[in-house]
Amino acid sequence: MSLESVILSKVKESPFDTRELSKKLKIDYNKLIQAMKSLEYNKVLECKIQVLNEIVLTESGKKCLTAGTPESRMFHAIPENGIKKSELMKQFGREGQPTFGQCMKCGWIRSEKIETKEQEKEKQPQQKGKKKKKQRPDLMLFRKVEEINDRVLEDLKIIHDKMSEKLNKKTLDILKRRKLITTIQTKSFVVSQGPEYEKYTTTQKIEYQTCLKKGMLQKDNWKSHTFKKYNFKSLGVPTQGGSLQPILKVRSEMRKAFLEMGFEEMKTNRYVESSFWNFDALFQPQQHPARDAHDTFFMSNPKKAKQIPEELMKKVKTTHETGGYGSIGWRYKWSEEESRKNLLRTHTTAVSSRTLREISKEPFKPRRFFSIDRVFRNETLDATHLAEFHQVEGFIVDKNLSLGDLIGVISEFFTKLGMEKLKFKAAYNPYTEPSMEIFAFHNGLNKWIEIGNSGIFRPEMIQPLFSGTRFNDYKEDVNLSVIAWGLSVERPTMIQYQNKDIRNLVGHTVDLQVVKKGPICRLGFPRKVIKEKKMEEEIKKEKN
Ligand code: PHE
C-alpha cells in the first residue's frame, strides 16, 4: 500500500495526529508530512497544527530513576553510627551541600556538633601577632528515621509514565528548579478529511500532468488532461553556487568603496619583488630591521633582480647616501647588491612605488590609486598573525596636499566601511612624514582598535621617482605631494565576522560551511541603519 493510501484509509476511520501515526506505523515523519501536505494542497485533507507542551525528565531526572534521588543516596550513605559531614560532602562533591539541605528539609537526618583538636586550641588565648583563620566546626551526621519515603522519586516516576497532570504546579515548579524535569514543545498536525476527500477517493485515480508536452499538442488531447496546480508556497531547493571566502567578501566591499571615491586599481600581480622597489625606492635604509631575514622572506631562486632602471637607481643611491631635496640622507654606503635581493613583497607600498614611477612617465594630472592584495612577512604564527595576509593601500597624487586632506579622505573611506569614530595618532614610518596611525572605535568590542597606518610620502621618496620625467611640471616651488595609507584586510574581516582566531579564516582549519553559509558582507551597514532610523524619526516628527 502506498503512503498516500495509508493516510487516506486512516483518515477515513477518524482524524489522526501525525506524530502518533508516524510512531504507531513506524513511518518516516518527514515522508508522512510530505505526502500529507500534497493532499492538503488539493483539499483532500485538512490539517491543523497542534502545539504540545510535554513535561519530560532531564538527564539528571532519568539518573534518579535508576540510582535514586541524591537525597536518598545521601541518606543511605550515612552508616548506623554516623559520619562526619566533611567526609560525606567529599563523597558527594558539588551536589553535597544542596543535597544535605534536602535531607534536612525532609527530616531524614540530624546533626551534632563536634570539636576538633584545632578548635579546642583556638579557644585558648591567642598568641600575640598571630591570627588564625576561623574554621567552621565539623558536624556529625546521623540517620533520624529508619525508612524514608522518597516523594521526589515517586513524582519523577509519574512524569516518566506521562501522567504529569496528576501533579500540582508547586511540585512541578520545584522539580523544574532542581533541573530534574523540563518542558519540551512538540508540533504535530491533526489531520481530517477535506472537502475534496469523497471525490478524490471515489473517482478513478487522476493522473496529474505536470507540464504541457509536445505529444499532447500533436494529438490535440491536452484538454482532456488534468494539470497539477502550481504550489507557490513550496520552497525551492537551495542552490549550490560558488561562495566567496569572508576575506574576499570584505575585499569586494573595500574595492567598491574605493571605486565610488574615484580611485583607480593598481596592478598587484607581483608577489616576488626586488628589495629596490619594496624598500630602497621608499627611502627605507638598508640597515632597517624590517629588511632582516627575521622579518622578510628572501628568495633563493632567482636570488637577484635583473631589471632595475639604472638612472633611478643612481638617484635613489645618492638620496640614501647624501640626501638632496633639503635632506642630508641616511649617510651610509648604499649597496647595489643588497638592493637587487629578491623577496616576497612585505607590503603593497611596493606596488605604490612602482605605480608612482609608471605615472611619472605621463604629464601631471591629479590621480588616486588603490590596491588590495597579498603580502608576506616572516612572522611567528598565532591567533592574530599569519605569514601572509592582505593589505589595502591607497594614495593620492596632487599639489599642495596637507594632513587635513589625508584625514578627510581616510575619514570618508572608513565611514563607507561603517567605521565612523576615528582617531589619529602621530607615528613613524621611514617613507612618510608626518605619519599617523589610524584608530577606529569598535562598537561591538567597545574599545578603540588600531586599523591602519598613513602619512605624506617624504620628498626623499617622491623626488627621485618623479625627477627627469614628464611629470616634471613638478618644480621645487610647486608642492607636489602624495598622501597614502595602508591597512590589513584580515583585521576588519575578523571583526565583521566575529572571528577570534585568524587561522579559522585562512588555512586548513577553515570551516567550509562558514564559507558557504556566511552572510554577505555589509561593511557600511551600521551607518545606513543609523541614517534610516534618523529619517524615520524625522518623518514621525513631521507627521506630529
Ligand atoms: N606600508 C605600511 C604598512 O605596511 C602602510 C602604509 C602605507 C603607511 C602608506 C603609510 C603610507 O603598514
Side-chain angles (χ1 to χ4, degrees):
M1 230 193 330
S2 74
L3 188 52
E4 188 181 299
S5 349
V6 173
I7 296 175
L8 291 174
S9 70
K10 278 285 156 198
V11 84
K12 195 173 183 184
E13 290 166 19
S14 65
F16 65 80
D17 178 280
T18 46
R19 292 236 174 242
E20 279 169 21
L21 188 76
S22 121
K23 233 187 246 170
K24 204 159 117 193
L25 303 183
K26 295 199 174 76
I27 307 170
D28 180 84
Y29 192 69
N30 287 335
K31 280 191 183 147
L32 174 66
I33 296 294
Q34 250 171 31
M36 177 205 90
K37 280 277 168 195
S38 148
L39 287 168
E40 181 199 18
Y41 188 75
N42 291 313
K43 298 199 168 61
V44 181
L45 299 179
E46 240 166 40
C47 307
K48 268 191 199 134
I49 192 155
Q50 176 169 270
V51 182
L52 277 181
N53 286 328
E54 199 185 347
I55 298 175
V56 292
L57 298 183
T58 61
E59 281 310 310
S60 337
K62 281 179 199 160
K63 196 177 150 197
C64 292
L65 289 190
T66 49
T69 57
E71 54 268 37
S72 77
R73 276 187 284 131
M74 186 171 273
F75 174 81
H76 289 112
I78 299 175
E80 235 170 84
N81 38 10
I83 187 172
K84 273 190 188 167
K85 187 182 172 193
S86 54
E87 225 165 89
L88 192 67
M89 290 301 119
K90 247 186 240 161
Q91 283 179 32
F92 279 76
R94 279 172 59 195
E95 268 186 346
Q97 202 52 42
T99 310
F100 173 69
Q102 289 293 341
C103 287
M104 292 301 277
K105 218 156 105 193
C106 297
W108 293 348
I109 53 181
R110 65 182 174 83
S111 60
E112 268 176 28
K113 268 188 195 170
I114 41 167
E115 280 176 357
T116 61
K117 279 178 195 163
E118 274 178 33
Q119 283 148 7
E120 271 167 22
K121 262 192 221 162
E122 229 172 61
K123 277 190 179 170
Q124 287 157 17
Q126 265 185 19
Q127 280 176 10
K128 259 190 189 173
K130 270 191 184 175
K131 262 196 177 176
K132 266 196 175 177
K133 257 194 195 170
K134 261 203 173 176
Q135 268 197 341
R136 270 195 180 180
D138 204 354
L139 297 174
M140 200 64 197
L141 303 179
F142 300 94
R143 293 187 185 183
K144 200 172 167 185
V145 289
E146 277 189 13
E147 286 280 324
I148 54 165
N149 171 17
D150 195 352
R151 276 287 308 274
V152 171
L153 186 66
E154 296 305 315
D155 294 344
L156 291 177
K157 276 183 190 158
I158 292 176
I159 287 162
H160 179 70
D161 295 340
K162 294 192 189 303
M163 289 188 291
S164 57
E165 63 284 351
K166 280 191 177 171
L167 302 175
N168 64 25
K169 192 174 172 298
K170 201 176 154 198
T171 313
L172 291 174
D173 283 346
I174 293 172
L175 295 177
K176 245 181 227 171
R177 231 177 295 138
R178 289 187 64 185
K179 296 204 168 73
L180 296 174
I181 61 169
T182 182
T183 310
I184 54 165
Q185 216 181 44
T186 46
K187 282 180 187 160
S188 64
F189 295 92
V190 177
V191 182
S192 55
Q193 297 180 9
E196 297 290 318
Y197 182 85
E198 281 303 322
K199 203 168 125 200
Y200 188 82
T201 44
T202 47
T203 51
Q204 248 188 354
K205 198 108 187 71
I206 305 165
E207 213 185 293
Y208 286 98
Q209 297 294 332
T210 48
C211 65
L212 192 62
K213 292 182 189 125
K214 194 170 108 190
M216 298 178 195
L217 292 171
Q218 280 167 343
K219 288 182 205 149
D220 199 25
N221 64 357
W222 58 272
K223 276 185 197 160
S224 58
H225 286 290
T226 315
F227 289 91
K228 195 174 177 185
K229 280 188 194 157
Y230 279 112
N231 178 4
F232 293 106
K233 285 183 196 161
S234 75
L235 295 174
V237 181
T239 50
Q240 272 289 315
S243 6
L244 279 187
Q245 214 270 351
I247 293 180
L248 297 183
K249 286 181 189 161
V250 174
R251 188 173 86 166
S252 71
E253 277 294 297
M254 287 179 162
R255 173 178 282 133
K256 215 169 77 192
F258 275 120
L259 293 175
E260 281 171 7
M261 288 167 70
F263 277 73
E264 300 169 56
E265 188 159 8
M266 294 185 253
K267 259 201 213 161
T268 51
N269 55 348
R270 200 187 278 269
Y271 288 172
V272 177
E273 190 49 278
S274 62
S275 295
F276 180 80
W277 289 110
N278 194 79
F279 295 127
D280 294 291
L282 296 171
F283 195 54
Q284 194 147 333
Q286 292 183 331
Q287 315 78 18
H288 194 281
R291 298 182 66 150
D292 201 88
H294 288 299
D295 292 306
T296 303
F297 290 117
F298 286 97
M299 299 287 296
S300 44
N301 187 21
K303 212 169 179 144
K304 295 270 147 78
K306 283 183 191 143
Q307 293 157 331
I308 293 175
E310 285 296 321
E311 219 180 301
L312 176 63
M313 195 151 123
K314 268 186 211 150
K315 282 179 194 154
V316 168
K317 174 183 159 80
T318 333
T319 323
H320 275 243
E321 288 183 344
T322 54
Y325 324 103
S327 163
I328 55 167
W330 294 116
R331 299 179 166 201
Y332 69 100
K333 181 114 189 66
W334 187 84
S335 142
E336 181 176 332
E337 198 182 298
E338 188 63 39
S339 180
R340 286 193 187 271
K341 278 188 188 166
N342 276 331
L343 45 77
L344 290 179
R345 70 170 173 229
T346 63
H347 53 182
T348 39
T349 319
V351 178
S352 301
S353 63
R354 272 186 185 271
T355 310
L356 283 166
R357 180 66 179 175
E358 277 313 302
I359 62 169
S360 75
K361 292 172 189 160
E362 297 162 23
F364 170 78
K365 183 167 99 180
R367 288 177 85 166
R368 10 180 90 192
F369 284 91
F370 80 95
S371 73
I372 313 175
D373 209 344
R374 205 167 278 215
V375 298
F376 308 84
R377 287 189 196 169
N378 199 350
E379 303 258 18
T380 315
L381 311 191
D382 63 26
T384 52
H385 293 91
L386 287 180
E388 53 178 280
F389 59 97
H390 292 76
Q391 265 194 341
V392 195
E393 184 105 3
F395 74 79
I396 301 179
V397 194
D398 206 337
K399 288 173 185 168
N400 297 314
L401 289 175
S402 68
L403 215 53
D405 292 302
L406 182 60
I407 293 176
V409 75
I410 288 177
S411 303
E412 190 183 344
F413 174 71
F414 283 107
T415 306
K416 275 181 185 290
L417 303 189
M419 299 180 234
E420 278 179 293
K421 279 196 213 161
L422 295 179
K423 256 192 201 173
F424 298 89
K425 190 179 135 196
Y428 172 78
N429 264 317
Y431 38 89
T432 52
E433 180 60 38
S435 314
M436 300 186 298
E437 268 169 359
I438 312 160
F439 289 81
F441 190 78
H442 187 255
N443 287 331
L445 299 174
N446 207 25
K447 66 173 184 187
W448 291 94
I449 49 165
E450 194 201 326
I451 49 166
N453 201 342
S454 68
I456 301 182
F457 280 145
R458 293 178 76 109
E460 295 99 318
M461 167 188 167
I462 295 303
Q463 298 239 11
L465 286 172
F466 284 119
S467 71
T469 64
R470 289 197 62 194
F471 223 73
N472 220 5
D473 82 347
Y474 167 78
K475 299 206 177 57
E476 307 266 329
D477 56 330
V478 179
N479 200 1
L480 179 95
S481 37
V482 186
I483 52 176
W485 69 98
L487 63 140
S488 92
V489 184
E490 277 76 358
R491 183 159 269 188
T493 310
M494 283 171 81
I495 294 167
Q496 185 76 12
Y497 286 92
Q498 293 177 1
N499 202 326
K500 285 199 182 117
D501 194 326
I502 199 164
R503 290 164 293 193
N504 293 334
L505 209 57
V506 188
H508 63 279
T509 52
V510 173
D511 181 354
L512 284 182
Q513 285 311 312
V514 171
V515 175
K516 275 188 185 155
K517 293 191 180 148
I520 53 170
C521 169
R522 289 232 190 278
L523 288 174
F525 192 62
R527 191 175 58 119
K528 278 185 199 151
V529 172
I530 293 166
K531 264 195 182 166
E532 274 165 20
K533 273 197 181 153
K534 271 188 195 160
M535 268 166 64
E536 268 175 27
E537 277 167 20
E538 274 166 25
I539 292 169
K540 259 189 200 168
K541 266 186 206 166
E542 272 174 28
K543 274 187 186 168
N544 291 339

